Amino acid sequence: MTLIDIIGSVAATLTTISFLPQAWHTFRTKDVSGISLGMYTVFTTGVACWLVYGLLMDAWPIVISNAITVSLAAAILGMKLRYR
């Protein structure tokens, strides 16, 4: 593993982990009042684009972290649409 791979893996891990408290809170409480539908729509679309980019570049730190994040973001977006 090169230094570039290590930095990418650390960055991917940290950004994915930073998203978990919001996702956990939303799943637990089903409180979506503080979540912007527009922001989560754009965010989820952006993360999906990063996932495709990672796949095209064969960059597994990007693929793995964004696959997890897009799943969580899509679930929260679905809850926002359901529980508003």
Side-chain angles (χ1 to χ4, degrees):
M1 192 175 244
T2 67
L3 180 59
I4 292 170
D5 291 331
I6 292 169
I7 291 170
S9 296
V10 169
T13 300
L14 292 174
T15 55
T16 300
I17 288 172
S18 72
F19 189 78
L20 288 175
Q22 179 66 56
W24 177 251
H25 174 76
T26 304
F27 292 143
R28 188 172 42 83
T29 65
K30 298 190 181 10
D31 177 13
V32 293
S33 62
I35 293 175
S36 164
L37 179 60
M39 179 271 179
Y40 257 85
T41 300
V42 172
F43 177 76
T44 304
T45 303
V47 174
C49 289
W50 274 112
L51 174 58
V52 171
Y53 173 80
L55 287 167
L56 294 172
M57 296 296 294
D58 199 31
W60 290 103
I62 294 172
V63 170
I64 294 167
S65 64
N66 286 294
I68 294 167
T69 304
V70 79
S71 298
L72 294 169
I76 291 172
L77 185 57
M79 288 175 43
K80 176 64 177 178
L81 292 169
R82 181 176 178 188
Y83 298 122
R84 60 174 150 159

Short mmCIF file of all heavy atoms in Angstrom, two decimals, residues 29-53:
data_model
loop_
_atom_site.label_atom_id
_atom_site.label_comp_id
_atom_site.label_asym_id
_atom_site.label_seq_id
_atom_site.Cartn_x
_atom_site.Cartn_y
_atom_site.Cartn_z
N THR A 29 -34.53 8.08 16.00
CA THR A 29 -35.62 8.98 16.38
C THR A 29 -36.67 9.18 15.29
O THR A 29 -37.77 9.64 15.59
CB THR A 29 -35.06 10.37 16.75
OG1 THR A 29 -34.49 10.96 15.58
CG2 THR A 29 -34.06 10.29 17.88
N LYS A 30 -36.31 8.91 14.07
CA LYS A 30 -37.16 9.19 12.90
C LYS A 30 -37.51 10.69 12.82
O LYS A 30 -38.49 11.08 12.19
CB LYS A 30 -38.40 8.32 12.91
CG LYS A 30 -38.07 6.85 12.80
CD LYS A 30 -39.29 6.03 12.58
CE LYS A 30 -39.06 4.55 12.49
NZ LYS A 30 -37.82 3.97 12.82
N ASP A 31 -36.70 11.51 13.47
CA ASP A 31 -36.88 12.96 13.44
C ASP A 31 -36.10 13.52 12.25
O ASP A 31 -34.88 13.53 12.27
CB ASP A 31 -36.39 13.58 14.74
CG ASP A 31 -36.48 15.10 14.73
OD1 ASP A 31 -37.15 15.67 13.84
OD2 ASP A 31 -35.89 15.72 15.63
N VAL A 32 -36.81 13.95 11.25
CA VAL A 32 -36.18 14.48 10.05
C VAL A 32 -36.46 15.98 9.88
O VAL A 32 -36.17 16.55 8.83
CB VAL A 32 -36.64 13.71 8.79
CG1 VAL A 32 -36.13 12.28 8.82
CG2 VAL A 32 -38.14 13.75 8.64
N SER A 33 -36.98 16.60 10.93
CA SER A 33 -37.35 18.01 10.84
C SER A 33 -36.17 18.92 10.57
O SER A 33 -36.32 19.96 9.93
CB SER A 33 -38.08 18.45 12.11
OG SER A 33 -37.23 18.32 13.24
N GLY A 34 -35.00 18.56 11.04
CA GLY A 34 -33.82 19.41 10.84
C GLY A 34 -33.03 19.08 9.60
O GLY A 34 -31.96 19.63 9.38
N ILE A 35 -33.55 18.20 8.77
CA ILE A 35 -32.83 17.78 7.56
C ILE A 35 -33.44 18.47 6.35
O ILE A 35 -34.64 18.43 6.14
CB ILE A 35 -32.89 16.24 7.41
CG1 ILE A 35 -32.09 15.60 8.54
CG2 ILE A 35 -32.37 15.80 6.06
CD1 ILE A 35 -32.17 14.10 8.59
N SER A 36 -32.59 19.08 5.57
CA SER A 36 -33.01 19.77 4.35
C SER A 36 -33.16 18.76 3.22
O SER A 36 -32.20 18.06 2.87
CB SER A 36 -31.97 20.83 3.98
OG SER A 36 -32.16 21.25 2.65
N LEU A 37 -34.36 18.70 2.64
CA LEU A 37 -34.60 17.80 1.52
C LEU A 37 -33.70 18.14 0.34
O LEU A 37 -33.11 17.25 -0.27
CB LEU A 37 -36.08 17.86 1.11
CG LEU A 37 -36.48 16.98 -0.07
CD1 LEU A 37 -36.22 15.50 0.23
CD2 LEU A 37 -37.95 17.21 -0.41
N GLY A 38 -33.57 19.42 0.04
CA GLY A 38 -32.71 19.85 -1.07
C GLY A 38 -31.26 19.46 -0.85
O GLY A 38 -30.60 18.94 -1.75
N MET A 39 -30.76 19.71 0.36
CA MET A 39 -29.36 19.40 0.66
C MET A 39 -29.11 17.90 0.56
O MET A 39 -28.12 17.46 -0.03
CB MET A 39 -29.00 19.90 2.06
CG MET A 39 -27.57 19.60 2.47
SD MET A 39 -27.47 18.00 3.28
CE MET A 39 -25.75 17.89 3.60
N TYR A 40 -29.99 17.09 1.13
CA TYR A 40 -29.77 15.64 1.09
C TYR A 40 -29.93 15.07 -0.31
O TYR A 40 -29.26 14.10 -0.67
CB TYR A 40 -30.68 14.91 2.09
CG TYR A 40 -29.90 14.51 3.31
CD1 TYR A 40 -29.70 15.38 4.35
CD2 TYR A 40 -29.29 13.27 3.39
CE1 TYR A 40 -28.96 15.05 5.45
CE2 TYR A 40 -28.54 12.91 4.49
CZ TYR A 40 -28.38 13.81 5.52
OH TYR A 40 -27.61 13.47 6.61
N THR A 41 -30.78 15.67 -1.12
CA THR A 41 -30.92 15.23 -2.51
C THR A 41 -29.62 15.50 -3.27
O THR A 41 -29.10 14.61 -3.96
CB THR A 41 -32.11 15.95 -3.19
OG1 THR A 41 -33.30 15.63 -2.47
CG2 THR A 41 -32.25 15.53 -4.64
N VAL A 42 -29.10 16.71 -3.13
CA VAL A 42 -27.85 17.06 -3.81
C VAL A 42 -26.69 16.24 -3.24
O VAL A 42 -25.86 15.72 -4.00
CB VAL A 42 -27.58 18.58 -3.69
CG1 VAL A 42 -26.19 18.93 -4.21
CG2 VAL A 42 -28.64 19.36 -4.42
N PHE A 43 -26.64 16.09 -1.92
CA PHE A 43 -25.57 15.33 -1.27
C PHE A 43 -25.57 13.87 -1.74
O PHE A 43 -24.52 13.34 -2.11
CB PHE A 43 -25.73 15.39 0.25
CG PHE A 43 -24.72 14.57 1.00
CD1 PHE A 43 -23.42 15.01 1.13
CD2 PHE A 43 -25.07 13.36 1.56
CE1 PHE A 43 -22.48 14.25 1.82
CE2 PHE A 43 -24.15 12.59 2.24
CZ PHE A 43 -22.84 13.04 2.38
N THR A 44 -26.73 13.25 -1.74
CA THR A 44 -26.83 11.84 -2.15
C THR A 44 -26.43 11.67 -3.61
O THR A 44 -25.71 10.73 -3.96
CB THR A 44 -28.26 11.30 -1.91
OG1 THR A 44 -28.58 11.49 -0.52
CG2 THR A 44 -28.36 9.83 -2.25
N THR A 45 -26.85 12.60 -4.45
CA THR A 45 -26.46 12.56 -5.86
C THR A 45 -24.95 12.73 -6.01
O THR A 45 -24.30 12.02 -6.78
CB THR A 45 -27.20 13.66 -6.65
OG1 THR A 45 -28.61 13.47 -6.48
CG2 THR A 45 -26.85 13.61 -8.12
N GLY A 46 -24.37 13.66 -5.25
CA GLY A 46 -22.93 13.87 -5.29
C GLY A 46 -22.14 12.65 -4.83
O GLY A 46 -21.15 12.27 -5.46
N VAL A 47 -22.59 12.02 -3.77
CA VAL A 47 -21.91 10.82 -3.27
C VAL A 47 -22.03 9.69 -4.29
O VAL A 47 -21.08 8.94 -4.51
CB VAL A 47 -22.46 10.41 -1.89
CG1 VAL A 47 -21.87 9.09 -1.43
CG2 VAL A 47 -22.15 11.49 -0.85
N ALA A 48 -23.19 9.58 -4.93
CA ALA A 48 -23.35 8.56 -5.97
C ALA A 48 -22.38 8.82 -7.12
O ALA A 48 -21.79 7.87 -7.68
CB ALA A 48 -24.79 8.54 -6.47
N CYS A 49 -22.18 10.08 -7.46
CA CYS A 49 -21.21 10.42 -8.51
C CYS A 49 -19.79 10.05 -8.09
O CYS A 49 -19.00 9.54 -8.89
CB CYS A 49 -21.30 11.90 -8.86
SG CYS A 49 -22.79 12.34 -9.76
N TRP A 50 -19.44 10.30 -6.81
CA TRP A 50 -18.13 9.90 -6.30
C TRP A 50 -17.96 8.39 -6.37
O TRP A 50 -16.87 7.88 -6.69
CB TRP A 50 -17.92 10.37 -4.87
CG TRP A 50 -17.40 11.75 -4.75
CD1 TRP A 50 -18.04 12.84 -4.26
CD2 TRP A 50 -16.09 12.21 -5.13
NE1 TRP A 50 -17.23 13.94 -4.31
CE2 TRP A 50 -16.02 13.58 -4.84
CE3 TRP A 50 -14.98 11.59 -5.68
CZ2 TRP A 50 -14.88 14.35 -5.08
CZ3 TRP A 50 -13.84 12.35 -5.93
CH2 TRP A 50 -13.80 13.71 -5.64
N LEU A 51 -19.02 7.66 -6.09
CA LEU A 51 -18.97 6.20 -6.17
C LEU A 51 -18.68 5.75 -7.60
O LEU A 51 -17.80 4.91 -7.83
CB LEU A 51 -20.29 5.61 -5.68
CG LEU A 51 -20.47 4.10 -5.82
CD1 LEU A 51 -19.39 3.34 -5.08
CD2 LEU A 51 -21.85 3.69 -5.32
N VAL A 52 -19.38 6.32 -8.56
CA VAL A 52 -19.14 5.99 -9.97
C VAL A 52 -17.72 6.38 -10.37
O VAL A 52 -17.01 5.61 -11.04
CB VAL A 52 -20.19 6.67 -10.88
CG1 VAL A 52 -19.83 6.50 -12.36
CG2 VAL A 52 -21.57 6.12 -10.60
N TYR A 53 -17.28 7.54 -9.95
CA TYR A 53 -15.90 7.99 -10.23
C TYR A 53 -14.89 6.98 -9.67
O TYR A 53 -13.95 6.59 -10.36
CB TYR A 53 -15.68 9.37 -9.61
CG TYR A 53 -14.26 9.86 -9.69
CD1 TYR A 53 -13.76 10.42 -10.85
CD2 TYR A 53 -13.41 9.77 -8.58
CE1 TYR A 53 -12.45 10.88 -10.92
CE2 TYR A 53 -12.11 10.22 -8.64
CZ TYR A 53 -11.63 10.78 -9.81
OH TYR A 53 -10.33 11.21 -9.88
#
